[in-house]
Amino acid sequence: MKPSPRLRNGLCGCAVVLCLAPGAHAQVVPAAQPITPFDIKRIVVSATPTPQSSFNVPGSIYTISGRQVSETEPMENLSETLNRVPGIDIQNRQNYAEGLRVTSRGFGSQTSFGVRNVKLYMDGMPLTTPDGTADSEVIDLGDVSRIEVLSGPFSALYGNAAGGVLQVFSKNGPKQPTLEAGIWGGSFGAWRAGLSYGGQARFGRDGNFNYMMNASDFYTSGYRRHGSARRQQFYGKYRIRTDASTSWTLLVDAVNEPNSQDPLGLTAAQYHADPRQAGRGALAFDTRKIFRHVQTGVALNHRINQDNSISVLVYEGTHDVLQYLPFTGSFAASGGGVIDLSRKFGGIDTRWTNKSRIAGMKLTSIAGVDFGYEHQHRKGYVNDFGTIGALRRNENDVAVDVAEYAQAELDPNRRWSLVAGIRHSLESFSVQDLYVTKALASDTGSVSYGHTSLVAGAVYHLTPVTNLFADYGQGFETPTLDQLAYLPGGIAGLNSSLKPAVSQNYETGIKSFVTPETYLKIALFHIHTSDEIVVFSNVNGRTSYANEGNTGRNGV
């Protein structure tokens, strides 16, 4: 399969951004620090060495406020708000067994379900596993303060995420203990009930305890037959500031989907006959997904002195999926028609930040080490028409990511701001085959990938209300464990011939406050990717992948 001319040189999105400042609910710069002739509400983002205005960042960063998430939407999934972000496309098929598919400037489109090539964070805690996969439903939208979307070259600094980075930040607890409850209802038996509680307490001279918790329960009977789903979520953030220089934060994220039915797809003829019917095999094989996710993280932030600070994040989680597919999977090499996946993952990210001056120029630099691991026990069974049958697959899969990174931001003068960074990643994958028979040889094997990514950007302050920017970065995308799982032809086994895709990402643009309440941003980008990972074949529901030459994405 060769990429079409449209894929090789396509127009990936066309957007001019006009943001009304009152709706953004940005953090406001005090009047004592004006940078423009009029009072501008500037959105402060966290995708740089230190939080700063997105107006001064050399790249495309978009922010959605908590009010936009909560006041006009049912807070059920990310598609409600993220489709307003240029370059981001979210396919919501109203199929809770498959979830959302998120693409950023074309990245992630080869994934039939889940999120790939876009890295997800919640309050700084990674929700994406080391092999580069994530599920958007683990994000709780009940108490969102803001959502930041980073597209373009600088996403390379986050590792296995060439398409971009999506960061969700939850609210802090209010000064007084507050209990809030809400309920939402819709057609086809849909409803969502939510409850949140937060507050803060002081102790000692500088001590402070801040807490915020949110629980929700969602259900829908579905528009189509065999399309009901239920999701129960909890998210908690507990921060203790022991003194003026040190804080500890505990994060808890839990999701339970006890039975998300899969109505499958329809042919054109089936749709015109009855668009609400279930697809072929859905009822016979009782296609559905059972999903549970629990993740915790502990973050330490400590300011050593006025110029130096350190941060450490440790996280761990479990992610269990039991999915029934629309076929038996009974033949020996099929891998089964029921997927039983039990995943454990975790990691640690340590970071040092320094502020200094060189020849009178302000310099902010960071350096850190990022480690992540993922261990999954994958089993496959025959789908005996909705019940678990004989074993067809049994293996242990391991993914390990070790990365060192550094980034520096220099302000040579009042006109220029320069940013540069480097990240070296080593990704290792291994498979231990525990299902070996006389007819099936062992699929045990391992493969490793290494890459060094460089990024650089510059901002030129043309006027107090207009900035020009340009940036460049190298993206690095390894195959996921799922993409490595099947050889061409849909045969179970480690597809070690797959290579990582490497991207050269260029971007330039302008940001300007047209009026005190109107923000304009235009960005042009070109992306050249070598060894793009694409679908090679789909046999009996088993998708295998291959590398396909060079592809290009051009957009404005």
Side-chain angles (χ1 to χ4, degrees):
M1 185 182 73
K2 295 183 178 180
S4 66
R6 180 177 297 178
L7 178 60
R8 283 196 295 266
N9 192 15
L11 180 64
C12 295
C14 180
V16 176
V17 188
L18 282 169
C19 299
L20 299 181
H25 273 262
Q27 301 185 34
V28 183
V29 176
Q33 303 175 18
I35 63 164
T36 65
F38 42 73
D39 181 25
I40 290 178
K41 296 183 178 181
R42 299 189 299 168
I43 299 173
V44 178
V45 295
S46 305
T48 51
T50 55
Q52 62 174 294
S53 166
S54 63
F55 179 65
N56 295 320
V57 174
S60 295
I61 301 179
Y62 306 91
T63 299
I64 299 172
S65 70
R67 175 189 283 186
Q68 291 171 312
V69 173
S70 63
E71 289 195 353
T72 60
E73 306 292 352
M75 298 177 290
E76 191 272 312
N77 63 66
L78 288 170
S79 68
E80 300 163 358
T81 54
L82 281 189
N83 276 327
R84 74 186 68 194
V85 176
I88 297 292
D89 179 61
I90 299 186
Q91 293 186 4
N92 181 4
R93 295 158 285 191
Q94 296 297 325
N95 185 332
Y96 294 87
E98 294 185 0
L100 305 177
R101 183 169 70 172
V102 181
T103 64
S104 175
R105 296 185 175 180
F107 288 99
S109 58
Q110 79 274 34
T111 304
S112 57
F113 57 90
V115 181
R116 174 76 175 102
N117 300 125
V118 178
K119 201 157 188 177
L120 306 184
Y121 287 86
M122 186 76 186
D123 286 322
M125 179 173 66
L127 302 178
T128 301
T129 54
D131 72 335
T133 58
D135 290 296
S136 63
E137 58 260 46
V138 304
I139 295 177
D140 180 63
L141 299 176
D143 281 314
V144 171
S145 171
R146 71 186 188 279
I147 300 176
E148 292 181 9
V149 181
L150 169 64
S151 301
F154 271 88
S155 60
L157 281 178
Y158 289 83
N160 206 355
V165 179
L166 193 156
Q167 300 196 65
V168 181
F169 297 91
S170 65
K171 297 177 182 177
N172 294 322
K175 292 182 178 180
Q176 298 296 328
T178 304
L179 177 67
E180 294 184 0
I183 188 166
W184 166 88
S187 56
F188 309 109
W191 56 266
R192 181 187 183 276
L195 184 69
S196 64
Y197 179 68
Q200 60 181 322
R202 298 190 63 84
F203 58 91
R205 179 179 177 181
D206 298 315
N208 177 276
F209 175 53
N210 189 285
Y211 55 94
M212 196 71 195
M213 297 169 281
N214 181 77
S216 63
D217 193 354
F218 168 80
Y219 173 80
T220 178
S221 59
Y223 170 75
R224 296 173 56 199
R225 188 181 181 189
H226 199 71
S228 67
R230 187 168 191 175
R231 178 185 301 153
Q232 299 159 327
Q233 289 187 274
F234 173 84
Y235 186 77
K237 181 174 69 174
Y238 312 89
R239 177 177 293 120
I240 297 178
R241 192 183 68 199
T242 56
D243 55 46
S245 302
T246 306
S247 67
W248 297 81
T249 304
L250 171 65
L251 306 173
V252 180
D253 184 27
V255 183
N256 177 45
E257 290 187 17
N259 187 24
S260 295
Q261 294 179 329
D262 189 351
L264 303 177
L266 299 176
T267 65
Q270 289 173 326
Y271 173 78
H272 289 296
D274 180 10
R276 298 186 63 177
Q277 66 176 301
R280 182 170 299 173
L283 299 179
F285 293 99
D286 195 11
T287 51
R288 62 195 190 275
K289 181 179 75 171
I290 300 169
F291 167 62
R292 292 180 178 86
H293 172 92
V294 178
Q295 185 173 352
T296 59
V298 176
L300 165 66
N301 290 280
H302 176 65
R303 189 175 71 247
I304 301 173
N305 53 42
Q306 185 176 357
D307 299 324
N308 294 276
S309 61
I310 60 171
S311 63
V312 180
L313 170 69
V314 180
Y315 64 96
E316 191 172 51
T318 60
H319 190 99
D320 300 318
V321 176
L322 183 64
Q323 188 146 16
Y324 291 74
L325 304 176
F327 50 83
T328 61
S330 57
F331 65 95
S334 73
V338 178
I339 298 173
D340 184 1
L341 181 64
S342 180
R343 176 185 295 157
K344 294 182 179 180
F345 62 96
I348 181 171
D349 184 10
T350 61
R351 178 180 303 179
W352 167 72
T353 303
N354 172 262
K355 297 180 180 180
S356 60
R357 288 188 174 273
I358 297 180
M361 298 180 294
K362 180 182 176 182
L363 174 66
T364 302
S365 55
I366 66 171
V369 177
D370 188 6
F371 167 78
Y373 77 91
E374 174 184 2
H375 174 269
Q376 62 180 30
H377 189 189
R378 178 188 292 267
K379 291 184 179 180
Y381 299 93
V382 172
N383 187 342
D384 194 4
F385 298 97
T387 61
I388 294 178
L391 182 69
R392 284 294 181 268
R393 188 174 190 180
N394 187 10
E395 65 185 44
N396 287 320
D397 303 331
V398 177
V400 176
D401 173 33
V402 180
E404 307 85 33
Y405 60 91
Q407 186 174 343
E409 178 183 340
L410 181 67
D411 295 328
N413 52 51
R414 296 177 62 88
R415 287 286 187 181
W416 286 95
S417 296
L418 308 176
V419 181
I422 184 171
R423 181 184 178 104
H424 177 263
S425 299
L426 178 62
E427 301 260 1
S428 300
F429 299 85
S430 65
V431 174
Q432 180 187 16
D433 192 352
L434 305 176
Y435 185 73
V436 181
T437 67
K438 293 181 179 179
L440 294 174
S442 174
D443 293 320
T444 298
S446 62
V447 62
S448 296
Y449 310 105
H451 186 75
T452 300
S453 298
L454 301 173
V455 298
V459 174
Y460 179 71
H461 306 287
L462 183 65
T463 72
V465 295
T466 302
N467 282 344
L468 306 178
F469 72 94
D471 51 335
Y472 163 80
Q474 299 173 339
F476 174 59
E477 314 154 45
T478 68
T480 67
L481 284 169
D482 286 339
Q483 290 172 337
L484 290 167
Y486 298 102
L487 297 166
I491 305 301
L494 183 68
N495 190 0
S496 57
S497 62
L498 270 182
K499 296 181 291 185
V502 178
S503 303
Q504 309 294 326
N505 197 330
Y506 304 86
E507 181 182 39
T508 187
I510 182 173
K511 304 177 184 181
S512 180
F513 285 92
V514 182
T515 72
E517 297 181 348
T518 306
Y519 179 50
L520 169 70
K521 175 163 61 179
I522 302 176
L524 295 86
F525 65 86
H526 167 70
I527 306 169
H528 178 270
T529 305
S530 303
D531 295 318
E532 186 88 53
I533 300 174
V534 300
V535 173
F536 176 80
S537 66
N538 193 314
V539 180
N540 294 322
R542 305 304 185 188
T543 304
S544 60
Y545 296 82
N547 297 105
E548 274 295 343
N550 301 321
T551 61
R553 298 172 175 88
N554 302 299
V556 56

